[in-house]
């Protein structure tokens, strides 16, 4: 494992994301030898912490990975804390001094990664200061990793992008979508382009419809303040779901490289139809969870959650039909759905193939369709693939019986495979942006969802509800039935 040499500066270093995801990921990279002695981390945030206290926080955050005392001590000794008011230029002087000092101490060759894990309202100021205070004037590379949300509409995203692009060029910007770091999302390309049996059928001649479900069984937990302003459309569809759709729908790239994959994904997203507001209302439904007793647990309504308005009209569920206007996908609906407080936490993709044109096994009615072949990609918590086929039922006579070819990664494989953030941080260290979202993808995704948002915002009255623990409002089932299709996965 090739050693990576860099200084990380984490804005939002005291936050939840840093503690839950980043520090453990950095520790895993350290353990595997991708980070050795030549790395250092500056954590910054408003709170006044000492280095010692920060290192204690780091040690606690990697506790679940059971480091030895020695390991934890050695790892956390690379962490430095600096209280920082992002609006105050003087603070950037101290940041630069510390960065230069650590650069020398750890021989970091001027390589700098800036991780923005905080409220986006300050991104502009931060990058401006990184430039004006010459923190990025080094002999090594400077890269920016940005957490979502990247804007809250096309317009705000564009403003944010302009601010950032005034300082960093596109190649230096790594916009995180952690779904792109997931093993089975990366497997979409392996399944498609590594298996000619699938890729040769991957079009509207043979595929009937494609379904993407990202279901969660938790509510908004302690993120009510953020979520109530965002809702499922912006929280999950604009980013994760549209990224999955792009990977499923894109054309075959000439080679598997950052440039070509991103180009093809952008083209695919550009072919997703941008609805009129009227079409958006026809093709998208939303819902909000209400209280229920499920699996022996009393679940409160969304409106009763902390920091959620008691009359909130924010959606915690979205289902919709996307249409892709190109040669490959004309006539193939992409059904998508996501929500909180659903029956179970699971993400999966179902590719539903067209049935045999004629059912020769049923001479009374050869038009009675046979069960359709379905390729399922299980993203989480179980990881794997399955393919349903029609076989002959064992025994006399001749009856068909569905069989399932099923492969799942073992719990051990899943346990030992790198976590999404770990992979993405390593990619950013190596300068590989394949699994990060390009501005053209982000902007097109906003264009797609903005219309839906606008259409909903013009509607009055309460939005549809669903009982916590179910798979969403009745409208989500009506939507797909209207097309003479059905959700494959019904837990
Ligand atoms: C985040 C959303 O981007 O993804 C959360 O903000 C959501 O609301 C999470 O819970 C889901 O990610 P995962 O990896 O748990 O499926």
């Amino acid at each position: 494992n090739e050693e990576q040499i860099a200084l990380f500066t984490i804005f939002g270093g005291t936050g939840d994301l840093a503690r839950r995801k980043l520090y453990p990921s950095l520790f895993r990279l350290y353990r595997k030898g991708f980070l050795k002695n030549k790395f250092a981390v500056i954590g910054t945030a408003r709170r006044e912490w000492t280095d010692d206290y920060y290192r204690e926080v780091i040690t606690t955050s990697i506790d679940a990975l059971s480091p030895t005392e020695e390991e934890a001590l050695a790892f956390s000794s690379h962490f430095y804390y600096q209280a920082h008011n992002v609006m105050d230029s003087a603070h950037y002087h101290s940041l630069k001094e510390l960065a230069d000092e650590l650069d020398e101490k750890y021989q970091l060759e001027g390589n700098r990664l800036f991780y923005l894990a905080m409220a986006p309202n300050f991104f502009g100021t931060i990058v401006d200061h990184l430039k004006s205070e010459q923190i990025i004037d080094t002999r090594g590379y400077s890269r920016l990793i940005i957490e979502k949300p990247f804007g809250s509409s096309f317009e705000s995203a564009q403003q944010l992008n302009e601010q950032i692009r005034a300082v960093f060029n596109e190649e230096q910007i790594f916009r995180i979508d952690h779904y792109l770091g997931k093993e089975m999302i990366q497997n979409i390309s392996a399944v498609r382009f590594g298996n000619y049996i699938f890729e040769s059928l991957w079009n509207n001649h043979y595929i009937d419809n494609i379904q993407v479900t990202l279901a969660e069984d938790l509510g908004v937990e302690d993120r009510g303040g953020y979520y109530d302003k965002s809702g499922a459309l912006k929280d999950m569809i604009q980013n994760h779901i549209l990224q999955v759709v792009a990977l499923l729908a894109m054309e075959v790239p000439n080679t598997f490289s950052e440039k070509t994959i991103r180009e093809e994904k952008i083209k695919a997203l550009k072919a997703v139809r941008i609805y009129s507001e009227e079409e958006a209302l026809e093709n998208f439904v939303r819902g909000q969870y209400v209280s229920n007793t499920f699996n022996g647990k009393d679940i409160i309504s969304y409106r009763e959650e902390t920091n959620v308005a008691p009359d909130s009209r924010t959606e915690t569920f979205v289902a919709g039909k996307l249409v892709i206007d190109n040669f490959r996908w004309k006539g193939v609906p992409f059904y998508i759905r996501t929500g909180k407080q659903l029956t179970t936490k699971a993400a999966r993709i179902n590719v539903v193939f067209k049935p045999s044109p004629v059912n020769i096994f049923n001479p009374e009615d050869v038009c009675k369709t046979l069960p359709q072949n379905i390729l399922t990609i299980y993203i989480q918590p179980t990881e794997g693939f399955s393919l349903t086929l029609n076989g002959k039922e064992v025994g006399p006579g001749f009856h068909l019986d569905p069989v399932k070819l099923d492969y799942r990664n073992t719990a051990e494989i899943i346990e030992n495979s790198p976590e999404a953030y770990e992979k993405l941080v390593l990619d950013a260290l190596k300068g590989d942006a394949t699994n990060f979202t390009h501005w053209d993808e982000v902007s097109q995704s906003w264009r797609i969802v903005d219309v839906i948002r606008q259409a909903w915002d013009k509607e009055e009255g309460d939005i549809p509800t669903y009982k916590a623990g179910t798979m969403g409002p009745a409208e989500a089932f009506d939507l797909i039935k209207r097309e003479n299709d059905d959700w494959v996965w019904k837990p």
Side-chain angles (χ1 to χ4, degrees):
N1 294 344
E2 196 188 335
E3 182 183 5
Q4 303 296 315
I5 299 170
L7 171 68
F8 291 84
T9 304
I10 301 178
F11 290 87
T14 57
D16 195 46
L17 178 91
R19 294 194 219 195
R20 274 190 314 114
K21 300 285 185 191
L22 296 184
Y23 302 145
S25 295
L26 290 176
F27 181 66
R28 288 203 192 90
L29 293 175
Y30 178 74
R31 226 179 207 175
K32 292 178 184 164
F34 288 110
L35 296 175
K36 286 185 181 153
N37 290 324
K38 295 184 179 180
F39 86 97
V41 180
I42 303 177
T44 81
R46 259 177 314 188
R47 287 179 226 177
E48 297 284 344
W49 282 4
T50 60
D51 286 348
D52 284 343
Y53 184 72
Y54 185 44
R55 289 172 190 171
E56 270 173 45
V57 170
I58 303 299
T59 310
T60 315
S61 73
I62 59 169
D63 209 33
L65 301 168
S66 321
T68 62
E69 210 173 300
E70 214 181 346
E71 244 181 338
L73 210 65
F75 174 71
S76 64
S77 73
H78 288 256
F79 287 70
Y80 295 79
Y81 186 79
Q82 175 147 53
H84 184 83
N85 172 354
V86 292
M87 307 294 281
D88 183 349
S89 300
H91 282 214
Y92 291 88
H93 293 304
S94 338
L95 199 62
K96 178 175 163 52
E97 269 169 33
L98 179 57
D100 291 344
E101 189 187 311
L102 295 178
D103 199 300
E104 205 171 305
K105 177 165 177 184
Y106 293 97
Q107 300 163 41
L108 303 178
E109 300 176 7
N111 292 342
R112 295 190 178 173
L113 264 161
F114 301 91
Y115 201 119
L116 306 187
M118 57 183 298
N121 2 357
F122 299 114
F123 289 178
T125 317
I126 295 174
V127 296
D128 281 351
H129 279 97
L130 292 180
K131 183 172 182 170
S132 65
E133 304 309 315
Q134 297 164 343
I135 302 178
I136 52 179
D137 285 354
T138 63
R139 66 197 166 97
Y141 63 70
S142 288
R143 294 180 190 143
L144 190 68
I145 306 185
I146 311 180
E147 273 298 327
K148 65 164 260 247
F150 198 91
S152 59
S153 63
F154 170 71
E155 217 169 278
S156 58
Q158 194 179 31
Q159 263 172 19
L160 175 60
N161 198 52
E162 276 167 13
Q163 278 178 318
I164 294 171
R165 287 292 304 274
V167 178
F168 291 92
N169 59 38
E170 183 65 34
E171 290 69 49
Q172 294 174 292
I173 306 172
F174 293 74
R175 298 178 194 81
I176 287 236
D177 183 315
H178 77 283
Y179 263 71
L180 297 181
K182 289 186 193 275
E183 200 57 45
M184 294 308 297
I185 298 290
Q186 298 187 351
N187 240 307
I188 295 173
S189 299
V191 172
R192 284 191 58 188
F193 310 133
N195 300 289
Y196 198 44
I197 54 166
F198 290 128
E199 191 47 40
S200 53
L201 304 179
W202 211 259
N203 57 51
N204 55 6
H205 297 291
Y206 303 103
I207 292 182
D208 189 291
N209 69 84
I210 294 189
Q211 307 184 9
V212 180
T213 304
L214 306 186
E216 297 188 77
D217 60 353
L218 292 176
V220 286
E221 307 214 275
D222 51 4
R223 294 163 74 226
Y226 151 76
Y227 195 88
D228 206 34
K229 290 199 197 73
S230 162
L233 185 70
K234 296 184 183 181
D235 189 50
M236 297 291 286
I237 307 268
Q238 186 272 339
N239 38 62
H240 310 319
I241 289 211
L242 284 175
Q243 282 296 313
V244 174
V245 168
L247 287 166
L248 290 165
M250 72 191 220
E251 293 300 317
V252 188
N254 289 352
T255 55
F256 195 70
S257 75
E258 169 186 323
K259 185 168 174 292
T260 54
I261 290 173
R262 284 172 137 198
E263 274 169 10
E264 294 304 341
K265 280 170 69 197
I266 292 165
K267 277 202 309 216
L269 286 169
K270 288 198 169 155
V272 173
R273 186 180 302 171
I274 298 192
Y275 286 135
S276 66
E277 286 183 16
E278 207 182 336
E279 287 169 327
L281 294 179
E282 268 167 33
N283 291 300
F284 269 81
V285 301
R286 55 186 164 157
Q288 190 187 72
Y289 63 83
V290 292
S291 63
N292 194 15
T293 303
F294 178 66
N295 278 345
K297 257 185 17 206
D298 290 329
I299 305 170
I300 57 169
S301 293
Y302 174 70
R303 287 180 170 186
E304 293 165 62
E305 301 271 12
T306 317
N307 294 327
V308 167
D311 57 352
S312 172
R313 297 177 71 246
T314 299
E315 77 286 354
T316 59
F317 175 96
V318 176
K321 175 185 133 183
L322 293 173
V323 169
I324 302 183
D325 290 316
N326 62 17
F327 268 49
R328 188 186 281 262
W329 294 117
K330 187 77 191 158
V332 181
F334 279 64
Y335 299 113
I336 57 179
R337 59 180 171 164
T338 184
K340 298 223 180 259
Q341 287 298 12
L342 301 184
T343 314
T344 182
K345 170 144 179 115
R348 55 182 65 187
I349 297 162
N350 300 110
V351 180
V352 183
F353 291 91
K354 291 195 168 158
S356 299
V358 167
N359 183 351
I360 62 163
F361 305 104
N362 193 37
E364 290 90 60
D365 180 4
V366 290
C367 294
K368 189 170 187 289
T369 51
L370 282 163
Q372 288 166 270
N373 302 118
I374 300 169
L375 170 71
T376 301
I377 304 178
Y378 302 89
I379 300 162
Q380 62 186 27
T382 158
E383 297 180 354
F385 318 96
S386 71
L387 181 65
T388 60
L389 302 173
N390 296 308
K392 180 190 164 295
E393 196 180 63
V394 179
F398 200 101
H399 299 285
L400 292 190
D401 195 22
V403 286
K404 200 175 193 178
L405 308 183
D406 205 342
Y407 168 78
R408 306 296 170 102
N409 284 341
T410 60
E412 202 190 340
I413 291 180
I414 296 175
E415 173 75 28
N416 292 327
S417 72
E419 215 256 341
Y421 271 91
E422 176 188 343
K423 285 198 271 184
L424 295 175
V425 169
L426 181 60
D427 284 353
L429 279 163
K430 292 181 170 169
D432 179 354
T434 311
N435 292 313
F436 292 82
T437 45
H438 190 280
W439 163 245
D440 292 346
E441 297 173 68
V442 176
S443 55
Q444 193 59 21
S445 303
W446 277 122
R447 288 194 188 96
I448 295 165
V449 303
D450 274 356
V451 181
I452 304 167
R453 184 73 267 157
Q454 281 155 20
W456 283 344
D457 286 346
K458 285 186 190 155
E459 284 198 319
E460 283 171 9
D462 283 342
I463 70 169
T465 57
Y466 59 99
K467 283 192 173 157
T470 64
M471 281 306 280
E475 283 80 349
F477 294 88
D478 298 343
L479 173 101
I480 192 164
K481 291 232 166 78
R482 198 183 63 205
E483 308 280 332
N484 289 323
D485 289 320
D486 200 2
W487 296 109
V488 171
W489 186 48
K490 292 193 197 130

